[in-house]
Amino acid sequence: MSIATLDTSQHHNLPTSAKTLFEAKAKKKVTFEEIAQKLGREEVACAAIFYGQARASPDDIKNLSELFGIDHAQLEEQLSGFPDRGKSIEMPPKEPLIYRLYEIVQNYGYAYKAVLNEKFGDGIMSAIAFSTKVEKETDKDGVVWVNINLRGKWLPFTRF
Amino acid sequence: MSIATLDTSQHHNLPTSAKTLFEAKAKKKVTFEEIAQKLGREEVACAAIFYGQARASPDDIKNLSELFGIDHAQLEEQLSGFPDRGKSIEMPPKEPLIYRLYEIVQNYGYAYKAVLNEKFGDGIMSAIAFSTKVEKETDKDGVVWVNINLRGKWLPFTRF
Amino acid sequence: MSIATLDTSQHHNLPTSAKTLFEAKAKKKVTFEEIAQKLGREEVACAAIFYGQARASPDDIKNLSELFGIDHAQLEEQLSGFPDRGKSIEMPPKEPLIYRLYEIVQNYGYAYKAVLNEKFGDGIMSAIAFSTKVEKETDKDGVVWVNINLRGKWLPFTRF
Amino acid sequence: MSIATLDTSQHHNLPTSAKTLFEAKAKKKVTFEEIAQKLGREEVACAAIFYGQARASPDDIKNLSELFGIDHAQLEEQLSGFPDRGKSIEMPPKEPLIYRLYEIVQNYGYAYKAVLNEKFGDGIMSAIAFSTKVEKETDKDGVVWVNINLRGKWLPFTRF
Amino acid sequence: MSIATLDTSQHHNLPTSAKTLFEAKAKKKVTFEEIAQKLGREEVACAAIFYGQARASPDDIKNLSELFGIDHAQLEEQLSGFPDRGKSIEMPPKEPLIYRLYEIVQNYGYAYKAVLNEKFGDGIMSAIAFSTKVEKETDKDGVVWVNINLRGKWLPFTRF
Amino acid sequence: MSIATLDTSQHHNLPTSAKTLFEAKAKKKVTFEEIAQKLGREEVACAAIFYGQARASPDDIKNLSELFGIDHAQLEEQLSGFPDRGKSIEMPPKEPLIYRLYEIVQNYGYAYKAVLNEKFGDGIMSAIAFSTKVEKETDKDGVVWVNINLRGKWLPFTRF
Amino acid sequence: MSIATLDTSQHHNLPTSAKTLFEAKAKKKVTFEEIAQKLGREEVACAAIFYGQARASPDDIKNLSELFGIDHAQLEEQLSGFPDRGKSIEMPPKEPLIYRLYEIVQNYGYAYKAVLNEKFGDGIMSAIAFSTKVEKETDKDGVVWVNINLRGKWLPFTRF
Amino acid sequence: MSIATLDTSQHHNLPTSAKTLFEAKAKKKVTFEEIAQKLGREEVACAAIFYGQARASPDDIKNLSELFGIDHAQLEEQLSGFPDRGKSIEMPPKEPLIYRLYEIVQNYGYAYKAVLNEKFGDGIMSAIAFSTKVEKETDKDGVVWVNINLRGKWLPFTRF
Amino acid sequence: MSIATLDTSQHHNLPTSAKTLFEAKAKKKVTFEEIAQKLGREEVACAAIFYGQARASPDDIKNLSELFGIDHAQLEEQLSGFPDRGKSIEMPPKEPLIYRLYEIVQNYGYAYKAVLNEKFGDGIMSAIAFSTKVEKETDKDGVVWVNINLRGKWLPFTRF
Amino acid sequence: MSIATLDTSQHHNLPTSAKTLFEAKAKKKVTFEEIAQKLGREEVACAAIFYGQARASPDDIKNLSELFGIDHAQLEEQLSGFPDRGKSIEMPPKEPLIYRLYEIVQNYGYAYKAVLNEKFGDGIMSAIAFSTKVEKETDKDGVVWVNINLRGKWLPFTRF
């Protein structure tokens, strides 16, 4: 089983907690799937905590501290602030996997807008009141597919 | 029912077919849902044809010609080439609805990569062998949610 | 009394409705204050409709048609779609008045974040469930001040 | 009560005083509201001092020194220069909370200009002779709203 | 005597008034010095009106109409709005003459800030409550020098 | 009296001499006015030496060494090379004071060009054979104004 | 025989493994041709591993460890994660050799698209299911030519 | 058989010849393969002539004139100048097919450099003394592969 | 003999004179060498006039009018203004020939500075008091070389 | 005599050899003219070696080692790799001296192309098979001029 790791020499803007958590993860060789089970959260949310893109609750901190044997006070100090989101990546992304997600927005952005406006009216899908998950699908021909679900609250524009 | 339209004075890089199709759509007041039913395709794919981001098959062209009463030869000439994708939008997107999708990539890009790498190995989710759809969900509290599904083939990096 | 006008030779990405409305406004010499009274909306919202940044309701269209004597069908055709927001300006703004607003975000962005996070928790102030208004204040020394109010719904990040 | 903190590994251009002050704040667990009371200033102004975006007066330095028990001479050395403003953020902002403020300027910039020009003439709202504050509002349905007030002196363009 | 003209095929964002005025100026072969005398304004201010960067007063419009024999109503329509400043140039400037001014800001920007802060305190020199003029100087060796004077009101940062 | 200082943690591209000189200046609490008197140069030129934007002559180095009690050999080593100009700032400038100077070029760039071309012919004002100074003016109403003088040699384009 | 080396002071975003491997390569003076023979892979793939752009298999790690006498555990820790591709270069490339490859895409990009679309239909050549190799050719006149082969799987766009 | 066409409303910088040639091609429904046979050139070179990226020889012009029945004098006038290369595309490319080629340079740029330097010394592969061709390969499993060959003269850096 | 022409559909920012002159040149089939002889100027200067980058003197206008049989008044109107330089190209240049010149500056820029500073002191080579010419050289092996000479006045930085 | 030096705190992307060589040069106080005599190369080439933009031959390394008394093995290790060109500067250049060279390309780029195409056909002047030198000229009036010669092989585009 392969483990996603972080080489901090390639990322100059991540919070200190990223280094702490990824080093513990590599040492203990646990996957985000296992972390997600421990925390009772989605895998993507767990990975987002590691990259400083989601907030860890006091329970999450306690669980991470237990799982990895990291001193609770240290982890609390590093994780209890508010995430400074958006710093983990330069846009447009250069990483091919992430670029493909970007390309989907680039190619289908206006198509999504047109369909969403017709279905929901004038507004947006929130990226804040929002969750996402990833699933693996193997079709009858043995071909492997990725399924990503994005679920966000519909926010209509206020009339003023 | 509201209809998504196109004001060509705001879009300088769309194909001629975009103007033809959106004008017909506005005149006939049909939604992408109705177009999707006629073509037997997903709504997003239909909207993508309108924006020049997806290819119309000969059947699609025939159906669009019938649905809107556009001369078939004219539509065939405008739609039978290969889409010149990526021209419908400037990145980063300024449109708030599309920006939220971009922000999801910006915030969770590396989290998706970490989770996908652990689940699937070294590779990418294709944006070509790919489909997407949009669904509306009203939860028990009456709150409205958008569900976007992204489904792409997993492509492992070739060893060479 | 001065009237805000639009020179379309300086704006290449505005919707057709912008030209229609601004020409009518210049001809009839009405201010956004008068338009706001007619529409029962805030002045900024009215100006945003003119620039294609806010949606006009059927009543707004009817009122604008009456106020300016523009053919209702023509105005409905131009205004009944969904706004393609963000196209009225290139960022960073070059216009000195708009630059000052941009500069406020540039200088105080993180200060707002820190104060809002402490007061409200982990989330954002919505720019969609949002309204704004402008007021004039003359202090006791006769100095004139601008008061801009921004009011947005607080959206906490979803835990997932 | 949550405390806004600063992870200096994510901010490479802040003054030395930012580190000193945020570390003291995290250690003592005081909010900007409490700091504002001590200094007799607005919360946003206090946070701006922490981020190096506003000047601390000799009294502010004395009060901060007392509040946090930081050596007065050290704080004076770090804070008595003139702020080198604009270094705390890269534009366009990636942080979702700050992006929403940026988006308001992007969407309503010309609308503000049109309304301000009509109300005040040819000029700008100063971002220097300027103050701002943040207030929390809970409406009758229990919905929480953010109110941001921007107040700036009106500066008419000089005729020359 | 050479006359500064405008080739509108090189400037896509100037107001309609720029074309009207520059064509009249080229036809009548008058310099900005002569225009300045007629209007009782500085030459740079007059040129700025031509480029849509400064506002023409009702008297200015009357004078320009007389000087060039342009229909007053037409000129009033084109010039009575509020200037949409900053559209005449792309930055960094490519024109060598303008680049040299830009280079002065680039090289001496922080030096000006340091000197101004020491002389005036924490604030800025206004570019709104501002005037400028250009003078020609021939020194005793017959060498020709340009003297540009920038005069702006000092605006101290408000304490809040 | 306030002293302009340098926080090197905010400036990553300044020469070593900047740190040496600004630290000495802060320690000795001297202004650029006093330095200018010692060196027999303009204040802006002195500040430019501190920021690595102007060359120090052997006499300047001797005077700076005396004034601040810095070892002459060390200062000579740091200051005797040729300035690598343009590294002290990122453009467009974010600092509000410097931005206002930039905005003047942005707004009046073509106006200056038109006036200079008519007054001097086809050429540029040199930014090399160039000097500048800053003066304080208090008008009869007690209002404080900044006067910046830019004086550059006129260079006509060579015919070839 | 010349050896390609890496000066890490010029590359701030490469993984730690790049330093480890290039130092070993320089010390042992082996070429990528020799490394390719040892690993049973193409030279470009080997160089890509060194720059963190391709994944090393467990066998590759073992072979590299043997070839260079690097501790296996250390190399495994540095190389067993998933490559964070795209970080080795800033685009557009400034290096003349790499720029020429970029220029080929810039000049012939649409020509490739036209030919590929006609030959293969609507789709792309994969850069993931992809291999490449470099060969040297000396023609009959003794002129030396580079032959680069790019081989990628054809991926047709999914109809949805 | 599908035909690659050009929608000039999506390309604002192509030469007039592009419109002439693509319109003739669409009308006559010939592929670049057939054009290549007529001209005795590679398909990519032919497509490059259509996009204004390669020069047509007098014979090419004669052959294109015959093949499409375009007036020879008109074609000669449009094609006999020197190509203004690089105008057919904005970089980074947004078109997915072209992006994949760009991504190959982005990911393997330094790997190519390292291998080429070791094999050939200090120099570059020319993109001028250069040819390229595309071939289709169907492997034994029926999978379709694209083979792109790049062949350029090796140019060593001159010692001076 | 080949003639350099201009396809105005590829250049949106050139002055009207560019179209007039290039059309006349293409019609009369004269080279810049012949134009240079007629005007008594360097070829590059002549081409620069055609691209709006150099000023034509009254004699130049007379000569061009005679050479091409263009109405003198029309040419005088188009050419007698001051060139708006820098508009003929976007940087970095995409045209391979021009890119190579850019690359020389990119690669050797600091080397030129170091050598010039040592030879001439602190200053610059003027690009205004400047001329340039191009010569063809065929060496003894029949290899063709381009020689470009750049000659600019040395301007020392003013001490102030 | 002034010596060109390097302040490494201003250059973050130069190779280690740059520091080694410039420190030795500053210590020994030798000019590039003297280095050029020792190496039998042009001054610009020598400076380019110092900035990591040109390759040092084994003899060059030996000579540099002798001239500066640097350990030969250390210098060989730092200099024997292949230059990673283009890293010494950010474009557009901010340094005034280098900017003037850039401006020459910006202003005369298309003029050079037109003249070179007419004189040499369709191709480019190589920047690889290329040399350059700098000479000082004092004209009869005592005015000092810089002469820069660029000499590159002419490379015609291959027909394919």
Side-chain angles (χ1 to χ4, degrees), chain C residues 19-145:
Chain C
K19 194 172 185 306
T20 305
L21 291 170
F22 271 109
E23 281 181 0
K25 179 174 184 292
K27 199 169 160 194
K28 204 177 163 78
K29 291 190 197 300
V30 294
T31 62
F32 282 116
E33 195 177 334
E34 293 161 325
I35 295 167
Q37 284 169 346
K38 174 77 181 176
L39 267 63
R41 300 189 69 165
E42 287 292 335
E43 286 173 68
V44 180
C46 294
I49 289 174
F50 274 59
Y51 276 103
Q53 302 294 313
R55 198 172 197 210
S57 70
D59 273 4
D60 295 337
I61 297 172
K62 201 169 120 282
N63 282 323
L64 288 166
S65 165
E66 281 173 23
L67 181 58
F68 293 118
I70 309 172
D71 176 61
H72 183 267
Q74 179 200 342
L75 207 55
E76 194 175 41
E77 187 190 323
Q78 289 180 5
L79 280 178
S80 64
F82 298 95
D84 193 358
R85 291 171 175 91
K87 298 215 135 182
S88 64
I89 199 167
E90 285 302 311
M91 298 290 263
K94 296 181 151 189
E95 227 293 326
L97 184 147
I98 304 174
Y99 184 82
R100 297 311 181 273
L101 299 174
Y102 172 92
E103 192 176 77
I104 291 164
V105 178
Q106 186 169 258
N107 287 2
Y108 300 111
Y110 272 103
Y112 283 124
K113 176 174 161 62
V115 170
L116 290 171
N117 280 164
E118 290 195 344
K119 274 187 136 66
F120 296 82
D122 189 28
I124 62 155
M125 180 183 87
S126 181
I128 309 298
F130 168 83
S131 65
T132 182
K133 66 181 169 194
V134 167
E135 282 169 334
K136 188 172 188 169
E137 172 196 344
T138 309
D139 70 16
K140 61 182 163 47
D141 302 321
V143 178
V144 178
W145 297 84

Side-chain angles (χ1 to χ4, degrees), chain H residues 85-153:
Chain H
R85 292 173 172 89
K87 298 216 134 179
S88 63
I89 199 168
E90 284 304 310
M91 299 290 265
K94 295 180 153 190
E95 227 293 327
L97 184 147
I98 304 174
Y99 184 80
R100 298 311 181 270
L101 299 174
Y102 172 91
E103 193 176 77
I104 290 165
V105 178
Q106 187 169 258
N107 288 3
Y108 301 111
Y110 271 104
Y112 283 124
K113 175 175 163 61
V115 170
L116 289 171
N117 280 165
E118 289 195 345
K119 274 186 138 63
F120 296 82
D122 190 28
I124 63 156
M125 180 183 87
S126 181
I128 309 297
F130 168 82
S131 66
T132 183
K133 67 181 167 196
V134 168
E135 281 170 333
K136 188 173 189 170
E137 171 195 345
T138 309
D139 70 14
K140 60 181 163 49
D141 301 320
V143 178
V144 178
W145 298 84
V146 180
N147 271 283
I148 296 180
N149 176 264
L150 312 174
R151 180 177 185 264
K153 196 173 175 178

